Amino acid sequence: MQMFERQFVRVNEWLVLLILAAMTVIVFTNVALRYLTNYSLIWAEEVARYLMIWMTFVGAGLVLRAGGHVAITNLHDLVPPPVKRALRIVVAMILLGFFAGMVWFGHDYMTRMGRQLTPATRVPFHFIYAAMPVGFALLIVHFLLVLRHYVATGGSADDRPAGGG
């Protein structure tokens, strides 16, 4: 399982990196063309925007693993350790339910609205809106991989011991 997790995270990291690199190249090229030739690519801003959407959803699971999402811990900090663990279990169930719901609603939205075309590139919005169900499915996988450690300690994947857990 640790091998799968390492490979899964590595592929996810590379995907985010490639999306960021593509977005950077497109925006830099467009700015350079605009200032050097007074010509800009009509599709650059649109494609960069959609790549940013994809990067956000694809990268959300990596941020979750690192404990980088906003967390309100006031109640968690006030209760004794046994209650903290129960509270983390409840939070984990709510998060998994929310993630699954967002996969469902994202897929539904993608299928209903996907026949429209983007203005500049004429790509079906289906490909843009797919970022939501794909991103939340990745969030589910990431969260399941760190769930035991989260429930046991409340920590992120980054503070797990080298052997996993």
Side-chain angles (χ1 to χ4, degrees):
M1 189 62 131
Q2 292 173 1
M3 178 69 151
F4 168 76
E5 183 174 358
R6 276 194 304 275
Q7 293 301 325
F8 178 72
V9 169
R10 181 165 290 143
V11 167
N12 201 164
E13 288 171 341
W14 273 102
L15 186 57
V16 170
L17 184 64
L18 290 172
I19 293 170
L20 178 61
M23 197 170 69
T24 303
V25 167
I26 290 168
V27 170
F28 178 79
T29 302
N30 196 40
V31 170
L33 283 173
R34 187 178 311 133
Y35 286 104
L36 296 175
T37 67
N38 208 22
Y39 170 79
S40 65
L41 304 169
I42 60 171
W43 51 267
E45 187 264 333
E46 179 179 288
V47 171
R49 181 181 334 121
Y50 297 145
L51 285 172
M52 185 178 292
I53 290 167
W54 267 95
M55 185 177 63
T56 300
F57 281 105
V58 170
L62 296 170
V63 175
L64 176 100
R65 297 179 68 81
H69 288 291
V70 174
I72 301 171
T73 60
N74 296 20
L75 178 61
H76 186 269
D77 295 342
L78 292 175
V79 297
V83 178
K84 286 182 182 185
R85 183 180 166 114
L87 190 57
R88 287 192 299 266
I89 291 170
V90 169
V91 167
M93 290 172 33
I94 291 170
L95 283 174
L96 286 171
F98 174 73
F99 296 162
M102 293 306 289
V103 169
W104 174 268
F105 291 119
H107 182 269
D108 180 55
Y109 190 74
M110 176 188 74
T111 54
R112 283 188 295 117
M113 305 302 286
R115 289 182 291 280
Q116 297 177 2
L117 301 177
T118 61
T121 57
R122 308 304 292 165
V123 171
F125 269 107
H126 179 86
F127 296 110
I128 312 313
Y129 294 142
M132 183 189 241
V134 168
F136 276 100
L138 289 172
L139 264 167
I140 290 171
V141 175
H142 280 290
F143 194 54
L144 289 175
L145 289 170
V146 300
L147 183 60
R148 184 165 22 118
H149 180 71
Y150 169 73
V151 168
T153 68
S156 67
D158 287 351
D159 62 5
R160 287 187 299 175

